[in-house]
């Protein structure tokens, strides 16, 4: 091959590789949960692009396992779906080396019913459905305790299980269900109350402040976070993502989407 042609081809290859690298350097992949957060992240993407020249590629999952696995496997650069107690539990159980980039919001869980308007009307022996995911399960039990329906062992902390229930004066049947299915249980003739977290409630057009009989307050420790790996937490793209998320535009959009149910966490 002619040396001049070879030189041109090599130069073109270097230019192409540089362009690809430059494009990759301006992109960050983020895992979230399906639901109303997808609309919120449309605003994050816009702010990141307009203000920080950062392209945010959002990947939505319908469970609480895959977003952390994707982050661990470096399929994504960050995720934004989980509360701090859940994050801490996952890091302890699975050995993840993750870091909190920023807190986002408290998304209050609430108790819903299509059969009664007040807990005063909750009959003895009624069925109550809660999430079977460990952190949300414990969170739900603590919310039921706050309503005076049950008592759990104090030493269980933020992660009680049904085995930690020490008092259940109404003899409630507390049934654990896959989180995405909780809203559907409201149509079950046996189910009087379901404790549902915000994003899955929103998918069923339920609002904690509008439709919930009871909900978490501002003192909830279950604030959500944007999470990265220890090896990339200080990267420029992750820091740009943090700035974009904490923008007034995103806060305004979150309040619009969640109709005032959210509590700002940063």
């Amino acid at each position: 091959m002619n040396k001049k042609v070879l030189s041109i081809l090599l130069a073109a290859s270097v230019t192409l590789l540089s362009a690809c690298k430059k494009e990759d350097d301006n992109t960050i992949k983020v895992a979230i949960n399906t639901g109303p957060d997808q609309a919120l992240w449309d605003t994050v993407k816009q702010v990141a692009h307009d203000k920080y020249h950062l392209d945010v590629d959002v990947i939505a999952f319908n469970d609480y396992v895959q977003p952390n696995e994707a982050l661990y496997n470096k399929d994504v650069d960050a995720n934004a779906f989980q509360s701090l107690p859940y994050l801490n539990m996952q890091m302890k159980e699975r050995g993840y080396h993750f870091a909190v980039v920023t807190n986002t919001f408290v998304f209050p869980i609430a108790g819903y019913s299509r059969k009664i308007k007040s807990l005063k009307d909750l009959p003895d022996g009624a069925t109550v459905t809660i999430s079977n995911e460990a952190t949300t399960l414990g969170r739900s039990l603590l919310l039921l305790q706050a309503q005076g329906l049950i008592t759990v062992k104090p030493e269980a902390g933020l992660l009680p299980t049904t085995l930690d229930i020490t008092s259940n004066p109404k003899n409630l049947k507390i049934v654990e269900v896959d989180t995405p299915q909780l809203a559907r249980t409201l149509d079950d003739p046996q189910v009087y109350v379901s404790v549902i977290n915000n994003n899955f409630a929103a998918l069923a057009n339920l609002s904690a402040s509008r439709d919930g009989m009871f909900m978490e307050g501002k003192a909830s420790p279950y604030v959500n976070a944007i999470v990265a790996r220890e090896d990339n937490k200080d990267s420029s793209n992750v820091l740009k993502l943090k700035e974009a998320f904490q923008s007034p535009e995103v806060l305004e959009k979150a309040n619009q989407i969640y109709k005032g149910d959210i509590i700002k966490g940063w």
Side-chain angles (χ1 to χ4, degrees):
M1 181 181 290
N2 185 290
K3 289 184 177 180
K4 184 176 181 180
V5 174
L6 180 60
S7 297
I8 292 172
L9 290 174
L10 287 172
S13 298
V14 170
T15 302
L16 180 61
L17 287 171
S18 298
C20 290
K21 187 175 189 301
K22 184 177 180 181
E23 181 180 350
D24 289 343
D25 284 348
N26 292 329
T27 301
I28 187 169
K29 292 184 179 181
V30 183
I32 67 169
N33 269 159
T34 53
D37 261 8
Q38 290 171 275
L40 177 64
W41 277 85
D42 285 342
T43 300
V44 178
K45 289 168 66 174
Q46 191 66 51
V47 172
H49 182 270
D50 294 346
K51 289 188 176 182
Y52 302 100
H53 309 291
L54 178 68
D55 292 323
V56 180
D57 183 9
V58 175
I59 303 168
F61 294 98
N62 195 37
D63 64 27
Y64 287 107
V65 175
Q66 294 185 75
N68 276 337
E69 280 294 293
L71 181 60
Y72 175 75
N73 292 327
K74 298 187 178 182
D75 295 324
V76 299
D77 306 297
N79 65 40
F81 77 101
Q82 62 194 321
S83 68
L84 294 184
Y86 180 78
L87 170 65
N88 291 332
M89 181 190 70
Q90 287 286 293
M91 289 196 297
K92 182 178 179 180
E93 289 184 354
R94 297 174 182 262
Y96 295 140
H97 297 289
F98 293 164
V100 173
V101 176
T102 180
N103 292 345
T104 59
F105 302 104
V106 174
F107 296 95
I109 62 172
Y112 300 90
S113 179
R114 292 197 174 126
K115 297 177 180 63
I116 58 175
K117 299 294 184 183
S118 169
L119 287 178
K120 294 185 297 183
D121 303 320
L122 184 65
D124 289 352
T127 296
V128 176
T129 55
I130 63 175
S131 170
N132 62 2
E133 180 277 309
T135 305
T136 311
L137 186 156
R139 187 178 180 182
S140 301
L141 292 176
L142 292 175
L143 184 58
L144 293 175
Q145 177 174 253
Q147 310 312 308
L149 295 175
I150 62 172
T151 303
V152 299
K153 296 176 182 177
E155 56 268 29
L158 296 176
L159 295 172
T161 70
T162 52
L163 296 176
D164 295 311
I165 296 174
T166 57
S167 174
N168 183 1
K170 280 185 169 288
N171 295 310
L172 300 174
K173 297 175 183 176
I174 299 176
V175 178
E176 299 174 26
V177 176
D178 288 342
T179 310
Q181 305 303 319
L182 283 169
R184 294 183 181 182
T185 68
L186 291 171
D187 295 323
D188 188 312
Q190 303 301 317
V191 175
Y192 276 80
V193 176
S194 184
V195 180
I196 310 174
N197 54 355
N198 192 290
N199 56 332
F200 289 107
L203 287 173
N205 197 31
L206 296 170
S207 161
S209 58
R210 183 191 67 210
D211 305 305
M213 284 194 298
F214 53 91
M215 62 182 284
E216 285 178 317
K218 292 183 178 180
S220 171
Y222 295 94
V223 63
N224 278 28
I226 294 176
V227 176
R229 295 183 303 276
E230 284 286 352
D231 64 14
N232 74 334
K233 64 180 180 180
D234 296 318
S235 69
S236 61
N237 284 354
V238 168
L239 296 179
K240 288 176 184 177
L241 180 70
K242 173 183 175 180
E243 294 299 320
F245 192 93
Q246 292 181 346
S247 67
E249 295 92 334
V250 171
L251 179 58
E252 180 181 356
K253 186 66 173 180
N255 277 310
Q256 176 188 333
I257 292 171
Y258 290 100
K259 299 176 173 56
D261 283 351
I262 60 163
I263 301 166
K264 178 182 170 184
W266 71 89

